[in-house]
Amino acid sequence: MKREHFNDFREEAKKLVDSMTVEEAASQIKYDSPAIDRLGIPAYNWWNEGLHGLARAGTATVFPQAIALAAMFDKEMLQKIADVIATEARAKYNESRKLGDRDLYKGITMWSPNVNLFRDARWGRGQETYGEDPYLTAQLGVAFIKGLQGSGKYLKVSACAKHFAVHSGPEELRHGFDAKASKKDLEETYLPAFYAAVKDADVSGFMGAYNRVNGEAACASNELVVKKLREEWGFDGYFVSDFLALMDFHENHHVTKDVFETCAMAIKATCDVNAGFAYRSMMEAYDKGMVTEEEIRNAAISAYTIRAALGMFADDCEYDEIGLDAIDTDESAELSYQASVNSTVLLKNDGILPLNKDEIKKVAVIGPTASSIVVLEGNYNGTSSRYVTNLQGVRNVVNKDTKVLYSEGCHLFLDRVQNLAFEDDRLSEAEMVANAADVVLLYVGLDSTIEGEQGDTGNAFAGGDKTSLFLLEPQRKLVDRVLSTGKPVVLICNTGSAMDLSLEDEKCNAVIQSWYSGQAGGQAVADIIFGNAVPGGKLPVTFYKDGTQPPMEDYSMKGRTYRYYKETPLYPFGYGLSYSSFDYSDVQAVKAENSDDDTVVTVKVKITNTGSVKADEIAELYIDKDIKEKGERGLNQNVAGLEESIAADNQPVYSLAGFERVSLEPGDSAEVTFKVRERELETVLEDGTRVFLSGSYKFFVGGQQPDKRSEELTGKKCLECVIEL
């Protein structure tokens, strides 16, 4: 949407709301807004989802889960994916309304993306995010929002940044939990992606979280919603509660005594639309004098501004003619397949991959995720007409005379597959299949019935969160049994989060992280295994060893994510192997002159494909933030509390400040330029203040982090350069 039209849409909204009675206006700030027949306004349901494809409304293109899309480190492709989601949502909306179907999941207000930080590997909803780094999350969130909203006169669909702002589990406690976050952690970690959504993407919607933040209910926080989001950042779109979150105010958080006080608290904090049922009591709160007519009308105007911006009351909306033929196209299917390839991360390879299919006469496909459609989907998903499971992908790739032997091996989490059978009833079959094969492809992991949102999973033991980082016990038994055969084993892990694969890394010949891999995920990973495609994903999260993270209820960032973690990880953030190799050279950092996009420094580097196959490389730029130990920056003595802040043991060691994905033929080179803004160079003090310190800034550039574990795994070091600012 072109910003210059926004004021026109607000005026249009104001005229419409002014023509309503106060009771009619109050009805329009419920997520299931009824029709106002006398004004010719149809019913509208605000609730739709588009996390990694149009969700929950029937047939749609199913892309890899959001955490997998993050592993692509590719803003351009993510924006293309979001555009497909917007197109399919528009098509479904246009066709549904012709038939009078105005149900939920048929609208064009998408409650996506989820730009919360994946701060704890146990969090079940972490799969919905773009990982653990605030810069990566911000950049990908901006790309996704732009792809959804388009660049026309009207919004193609409305995007919504959620869940504002400090929310990442535990799922079991979320309805009454108070997340305590310091001002430094807020500014440095929890808020940057939301800030970028407003300032860089002009997002039209925000959704609050279920929990409290520092004592205030997140959906009505004076500090975060009123002062930070509305006043400081200038957000003028609509704010919606998470579903039923307002009822938690009086039922679980006890910040209000009843639903009427809840209505008053929420609407005064500019919560414009209620997903749930609290605002059904808005008129009673109004009659009691707890809510004013102006507050109700202002909320309705915010809501109707978005509806006007979507062209709902116009006859010239450029998206009204998108129809059924735009859903589930060959082009969107190809894009989904390519995203599955680009998001797959090769974690270990002793040289076994890629397999030569001409040399393999029998291949064993074993494991509880091998024939599963659910592991392709993740949560908040649509329904594809083109699923390719892991097992089918292998069958599609191998030679016609190659025998594919299959065993489920074990249940995903139960101790037997058949209820009446003995415990471990599929292990002997797995062993016999492995013994008969030349190589074993062992598919393990989780799915959205185990990790996900509270209430959406069958996970009775943690409400959707994980209780440990290890594979579940039946799968650990399966891994041991298969490895005992002595056959070469390639392990493929389908999860939405980091796992402790220490044993698997030690004993398997190769380890692949395939995430919840999308409708073509099985085809993509099979193509990678047999060399038809090259892995090029990198980890958007740290893979820890189990038991090394702080308690999940602790929202301090100390000891969390690669920026603050003090121990050695299994696999670091930003890590991933390839079938090719890349050389970095000629790095230089230069001060930007007369920049019109806030760029302070440009960092350039030359990348050469020194391998034998065409491949993608993800170039990563990090800024040294270890001020205390390096002591290279001049101190601004006039900044209160500066010395104490930079001496504290919770400054990031270094932080991602740029990434670019490049595709290179063997022997070819490319120059990559990173633009670094002042915001990425700033230091956040204990009181949440951002300061730009004068002194020496060190940059690291390479295909990984500049940490020792990445060097150990890859045998490579990042290039370094220093600039005085």
Side-chain angles (χ1 to χ4, degrees), residues 36-225:
I36 305 178
D37 293 331
R38 71 179 187 87
L39 297 177
I41 296 173
Y44 182 69
N45 196 300
W46 285 78
W47 189 351
N48 205 353
E49 304 284 355
L51 182 65
H52 57 113
L54 180 63
R56 299 177 172 179
T59 303
T61 306
V62 177
F63 294 94
Q65 178 58 285
I67 191 66
L69 298 178
M72 299 190 306
F73 281 72
D74 191 333
K75 292 168 281 189
E76 291 183 7
M77 181 173 277
L78 187 60
Q79 188 163 336
K80 289 178 183 177
I81 288 169
D83 180 63
V84 169
I85 296 169
T87 296
E88 295 193 348
R90 269 285 176 176
K92 194 81 71 171
Y93 168 75
N94 289 341
E95 296 297 332
S96 296
R97 63 181 174 150
K98 290 176 185 177
L99 301 176
D101 183 357
R102 296 185 178 275
D103 199 1
L104 78 168
Y105 309 131
K106 309 289 176 62
I108 44 178
T109 41
M110 317 303 289
W111 289 348
S112 301
N114 184 340
V115 293
N116 289 132
L117 255 290
F118 200 172
R119 68 179 182 96
D120 193 300
R122 293 162 291 193
W123 185 36
R125 296 194 75 179
Q127 62 178 283
E128 302 174 27
T129 75
Y130 298 130
E132 69 181 37
D133 180 77
Y135 178 82
L136 177 66
T137 300
Q139 292 294 305
L140 296 182
V142 166
F144 193 82
I145 291 163
K146 287 182 175 179
L148 286 181
Q149 297 192 160
S151 57
K153 175 182 177 181
Y154 296 97
L155 291 170
K156 194 170 187 180
V157 300
S158 166
C160 178
K162 66 182 186 184
H163 308 82
F164 193 61
V166 185
H167 175 67
S168 54
E171 284 296 297
E172 276 193 311
L173 305 179
R174 63 183 184 168
H175 294 287
F177 184 70
D178 186 8
K180 301 286 189 181
S182 70
K183 291 181 179 180
K184 182 179 191 301
D185 285 340
L186 278 169
E187 185 63 30
E188 193 168 57
T189 298
Y190 291 114
L191 295 181
F194 292 101
Y195 176 86
V198 176
K199 297 297 187 179
D200 297 334
D202 201 14
V203 70
S204 51
F206 260 67
M207 176 182 281
Y210 285 112
N211 51 275
R212 281 170 286 151
V213 181
N214 295 330
E216 292 188 304
C219 288
S221 168
N222 186 59
E223 288 297 318
L224 291 178
V225 179

Side-chain angles (χ1 to χ4, degrees), residues 96 248 323 519:
S96 296
D248 287 333
Q519 65 185 40

Side-chain angles (χ1 to χ4, degrees), residues 17 26 56 94 102 124 133 167 210 239 292 294 314 325 327 451 455 504 548 550 571 590 595 605 683 694 717:
V17 174
R56 299 177 172 179
N94 289 341
R102 296 185 178 275
D133 180 77
H167 175 67
Y210 285 112
F239 191 98
T292 68
E294 181 182 19
D325 289 345
I327 298 175
E451 63 172 346
E504 293 76 12
T548 63
Y571 304 120
V590 181
S595 171
V605 68
T683 294
S694 300
K717 285 191 173 186

Side-chain angles (χ1 to χ4, degrees), residues 387-402:
Y387 291 115
V388 182
T389 65
N390 291 318
L391 174 59
Q392 187 59 49
V394 175
R395 292 193 187 280
N396 292 346
V397 171
V398 297
N399 293 335
K400 290 182 179 180
D401 59 349
T402 298

